[in-house]
Amino acid sequence: MAKEITARDEDYSQWYNDIVKKAGLASNSAVRGCMVIKPNGFAIWENMQSQLDKRFKETGHVNASFPLLIPKSFLSKEAEHVEGFAKECAVVTHHRLMNDPNGTGVVVDPSAKLEEELIIRPTSETIIWNTYRDWINSYRDLPLLINQWCNVMRWEMRTRLFLRTSEFLWQEGHTAHASSQEAEEETRMIQDIYAEFAEEYMAMPVIKGVKTANERFAGAIDTYTIEALMQDGKALQAGTSHFLGQNFAKAFDVKFLDENQKSQHVWASSWGVSTRLIGGLIMTHSDDDGLVLPPKLAPLQVVIVPIPKPDPVIDEVAEKIMAALKEKGISVKYDMDKKKRPGFKFAEYEMRGIPVRVGIGKRDLEKGQVEIARRDTKEKSAQPVDGIADYIEQLLEDIQNNLFQRALDFRNERITKVDSMEDFKSVLEEKGGFLSAHWDGTTETEKKIKELTKATIRCIPLDAEVEEGQCVLTGKPSQQRVLFAKAY
RNA sequence: AUGGGUGUAGCUUAGCGGCCAGAGCGCGUGUUUUGGGAACACGUAGGCGUCCGUUCGAAUCGGACCACUCAUACCA
């Protein structure tokens, strides 16, 4: 049994915190609400980055970098945007410190007050659109497809490692297009990229949908989302892609001359995923023994443990296996620590979520075998050393698929159709997950249901069937079901 | 931000006005071990979140602040 991890059914939040800390992913820092991402956690982020970055580039995007600080006046140029973010902005007001005249330490030098305060970016639409004004003159300059990997800051009241921190790492794409249709296509294509990445790499099933007006990004016409379901039955917004219409182009006066020599405002999209994905990854797969990582994102895919300790005979076999695995591009480590016993190492690597463990002991070697343990099911089996690299390569694939299938089954079992508020409440309380229900389309009803149940509309699924029905709260006519859930 | 809880070595914690702040884990060295978190010995490490106050005397009492945590609210 794993030491020191709180069981999930005992206290899910505590379990989550235990995993993050014990698996060495992240910790709180000296700065309120800001985390230190430790090497084990950052390596996962790097793997996510490289996969996503590859897909962005394949679809014509390029990376750039814009300033961390945004002039205060920029924020207020788009009315809804400022309203959405104003309450959570960190503000830079001075540019110099001085020795405290009354004692030790330093104080802000009052003479170094900035003429215009600077905002630490909560998102970069404003500074980027202000820049795009200079970059875009003609339809020949479009589309402009730019992404940046960076940190942003939102002064959140309550923070949780990875899920909601004041500072977080993300990528934000900001694109400019000549037509509304093209910008919308971009928005949906990015949603597809996010969904495909979530499912194929994170093994995390997601539902693609559109946000209601109430849940929309501040300043967007439409917000496309991917929604995942966590083990405790709560939903997680895993990525969003916004169709911004001409809102920012108008706010920052970004125009282009079209082929008919007519001046037009450009059309925009913006989209992002963040380190929150790591939180989603944890809450999709991990168990009471620790982290469980999908092989495609695991910083280390295979660990070899000598049983009971390193030994020339065992080392030789390990070296061979490592060479064969590396040739296949599989990451592997041989644990040569002589002081720690095998049982300790087993538990340790399970805690860290290494997908496959190879145990090499003399008893098995005599039979030409090694022990293979898979993290997802915790099954162990003896396998012949001959052809072991092929076996492991296949096993990693099986684990990846199994994790996805397991999560998919779990999620699908927790999408429940409900047609009355009584069912709505009881299913939400007893089972959790997504509730598929009719809704009359008004923000008023949405808010009322939230008040009554704490559940929000996670999305209007893109694949929803047209179905005549009545709003679960008001009984007014509805054309399709939407998905409700309690959310992170 | 509101309401509840917590803050003593790296971690978990005992002590709850005076008596050297004590232990387990960890960490280091050594010995014996080693097929699912080894045992023993010796050693290492804290002035009790911060500040102010009460007191002859504060980790213990009071206040303010800070941080973390749970619930509510907001978000990627």
Side-chain angles (χ1 to χ4, degrees), chain A residues 163 202 204 230 236 276-285:
Chain A
L163 296 173
M202 297 175 67
M204 180 175 80
M230 304 294 104
L236 183 77
R276 170 180 275 187
L277 287 179
I278 296 174
L281 192 67
I282 295 166
M283 289 195 290
T284 300
H285 303 301

Side-chain angles (χ1 to χ4, degrees), chain A residues 188-255:
Chain A
R188 277 194 294 266
M189 180 193 73
I190 293 295
Q191 183 189 34
D192 288 342
I193 287 177
Y194 286 161
E196 188 191 300
F197 170 76
E199 300 200 333
E200 280 188 26
Y201 280 78
M202 297 175 67
M204 180 175 80
V206 294
I207 291 168
K208 290 193 276 188
V210 188
K211 287 292 189 188
T212 61
N214 190 42
E215 298 272 331
R216 211 175 270 156
F217 175 76
I221 306 289
D222 260 321
T223 287
Y224 291 80
T225 179
I226 56 170
E227 297 284 327
L229 189 67
M230 304 294 104
Q231 294 165 344
D232 61 347
K234 286 166 80 173
L236 183 77
Q237 179 173 312
T240 46
S241 181
H242 316 292
F243 170 57
L244 302 174
Q246 293 173 308
N247 291 349
F248 284 89
K250 284 178 179 165
F252 288 89
D253 196 29
V254 184
K255 292 181 189 164

Side-chain angles (χ1 to χ4, degrees), chain A residues 427-460:
Chain A
V427 172
L428 190 67
E429 285 311 310
E430 286 153 30
K431 188 176 168 190
F434 290 112
L435 304 179
S436 178
H438 281 285
W439 164 62
D440 64 16
T442 66
T443 298
E444 195 189 351
T445 299
E446 186 178 359
K447 285 184 173 163
K448 194 87 179 266
I449 291 176
K450 184 177 182 182
E451 263 170 50
L452 290 170
T453 65
K454 292 176 194 163
T456 51
I457 299 179
R458 300 320 304 155
C459 69
I460 303 161

